[in-house]
Amino acid sequence: MKDHYTHAFTELQIPHQRNCNSISFPSVLSPNPTNVPFSLSLLTKTIATQKQFLDSLLHRAGAVLFRGFDFKTAKDFNDFVEAFGYEELPYMGGAAPRTNVVGRVFTANESPLHQKIPFHHEMAQLPEFPSKLFFFGEIEPSSGGQTPLVLSHIVYERMKQRYPEFVEHLEQHGLIYTLVLGENDDLSSPIGRSWKSTFSTDDKSLAEERAAKLGTKLEWMKDGGVKTTIGPIPAIKYDKLRQRKIWFNSMVPAYIGWKGEQNDPVEVTFGDGKPLPADIIYDCLKIMEEECVVIPWQKGDVLLIDNLAVLHARRSSNPPRRILASLCK
Ligand code: FE2
């Protein structure tokens, strides 16, 4: 029986994958064809016995795509996520409007699908962020709607090589983000989460208390909204496990992509208040585009992302498309 589990997975090669130091990015696992039929309950047992292998694969590759398993519903996805045994991270302080579907599964960003979402690490502008993310392709888009991925240390290395002084200043001072949150959720914006949802309360003093824990200052506005100031917060982090520096910030999305009624765009500056040079930010976006992989979603896919190693984005699409998410501490 043990042998059965050991050979539970086959590593697939698929188009659009990249090779990074002879490791496929992302790594793609599918059921071993000799194990068919491969039931969900067998799979969840297998996860427990294969945890070491899966953790080490994620460590090496940065992202693992599970393709060809029999995930049909949000509940299947929830069971799969649970099987890994990672602790759930509540979405406190995050900017995207999200709805709980089942268990620890939420909708991913609910902003209109024609809007692109630029590359980001999940909740990089907050002191507490998820270490891992799971995404589930519940409804496959007919075209577009991919989740591009890019390795964060490569973005750092290329930026450092091209703009050494800029990166040095960034490492020294970090970034400050200023973002307005409305009183009610604005589903037309990828960062349209209201302060009430963001801090899970409609009590202003409780919101202030929770914001302070997230390193965020609040300034109440006459229209019921609130101006939040985050930082200075480090923009470059050190990935201790992989021993490399990573581009862990929301500079590009904040500067160019996080537009909504209240924020056009979000204000982001160096931690010492100095303005950021627009040309460098747009070039950073170009580098991310050059280095990324873009793999189309297939129904039932589950994508596991190491949030320290990899930045993700969203391509635009037409409806229908439904990707669900679960965040881990
Ligand atoms: Fe995200």
Side-chain angles (χ1 to χ4, degrees), residues 278-290:
D279 55 333
I280 296 185
I281 293 177
Y282 279 94
D283 205 34
C284 181
L285 174 65
K286 216 174 126 208
I287 288 171
M288 290 168 169
E289 287 293 337
E290 283 166 9

Side-chain angles (χ1 to χ4, degrees), residues 6-293:
T6 312
H7 302 293
F9 302 112
T10 306
E11 224 176 316
L12 282 188
Q13 301 299 317
I14 60 167
H16 316 289
Q17 242 173 346
R18 282 214 179 187
N19 194 292
C20 188
N21 298 326
S22 43
I23 300 158
S24 298
F25 175 66
S27 171
V28 183
L29 293 184
S30 76
N32 186 330
T34 60
N35 284 349
V36 170
F38 199 90
S39 68
L40 187 67
S41 67
L42 175 60
L43 177 61
T44 50
K45 279 181 211 140
T46 305
I47 301 295
T49 57
Q50 295 290 294
K51 190 69 193 329
Q52 224 175 343
F53 159 73
L54 293 166
D55 280 341
S56 115
L57 186 64
L58 185 64
H59 176 82
R60 278 178 282 130
V64 180
L65 176 65
F66 295 86
R67 174 163 283 180
F69 296 90
D70 201 22
F71 307 121
K72 289 194 178 75
T73 63
K75 167 82 171 57
D76 292 347
F77 175 48
N78 190 65
D79 290 350
F80 181 67
V81 173
E82 287 282 353
F84 282 80
Y86 303 131
E87 204 181 329
E88 184 186 2
L89 180 88
Y91 191 54
M92 179 75 77
R98 292 192 159 158
T99 313
N100 182 230
V101 180
V102 60
R104 56 194 287 177
V105 171
F106 286 75
T107 54
N109 202 309
E110 288 185 35
S111 64
L113 293 170
H114 67 267
Q115 289 177 5
K116 272 177 145 187
I117 298 177
F119 283 105
H120 60 283
H121 287 283
E122 204 62 32
M123 298 158 79
Q125 75 283 11
L126 295 171
E128 199 187 359
F129 46 83
S131 72
K132 293 169 199 76
L133 323 168
F134 285 89
F135 289 115
F136 170 53
E138 189 190 34
I139 301 176
E140 170 187 329
S142 54
S143 68
Q146 303 95 330
T147 298
L149 304 173
V150 65
L151 285 160
S152 190
H153 72 289
I154 292 182
V155 177
Y156 171 79
E157 281 163 16
R158 286 203 52 193
M159 285 296 288
K160 174 98 180 160
Q161 191 181 32
R162 195 172 290 179
Y163 303 108
E165 280 166 30
F166 170 83
V167 173
E168 205 183 304
H169 200 83
L170 198 58
E171 287 194 58
Q172 209 176 346
H173 297 281
L175 290 167
I176 296 175
Y177 306 88
T178 311
L179 168 69
V180 174
L181 305 180
E183 199 174 6
N184 300 302
D185 284 345
D186 169 13
L187 296 180
S188 71
S189 160
I191 50 157
R193 212 167 175 229
S194 66
W195 64 262
K196 291 179 179 173
S197 303
T198 302
F199 303 113
S200 304
T201 180
D202 50 14
D203 178 331
K204 289 187 178 178
S205 56
L206 197 53
E208 278 172 22
E209 216 175 279
R210 291 183 176 163
K213 279 191 193 139
L214 297 167
T216 303
K217 285 178 225 67
L218 302 186
E219 211 179 295
W220 297 100
M221 292 163 41
K222 283 197 187 109
D223 65 357
V226 67
K227 190 171 165 184
T228 66
T229 306
I230 305 170
I233 188 158
I236 309 295
K237 280 197 195 301
Y238 186 68
D239 181 347
K240 283 183 211 131
L241 290 174
R242 298 180 182 84
Q243 303 194 345
R244 62 197 189 195
K245 284 187 180 177
I246 48 175
W247 188 258
F248 201 88
N249 62 68
S250 301
M251 179 187 86
V252 172
Y255 198 88
I256 64 161
W258 279 354
K259 289 187 178 124
E261 216 160 279
Q262 323 243 27
N263 299 283
D264 193 17
V266 169
E267 212 183 298
V268 54
T269 64
F270 280 119
D272 59 2
K274 285 200 179 117
L276 295 163
D279 55 333
I280 296 185
I281 293 177
Y282 279 94
D283 205 34
C284 181
L285 174 65
K286 216 174 126 208
I287 288 171
M288 290 168 169
E289 287 293 337
E290 283 166 9
E291 298 291 345
C292 76
V293 293

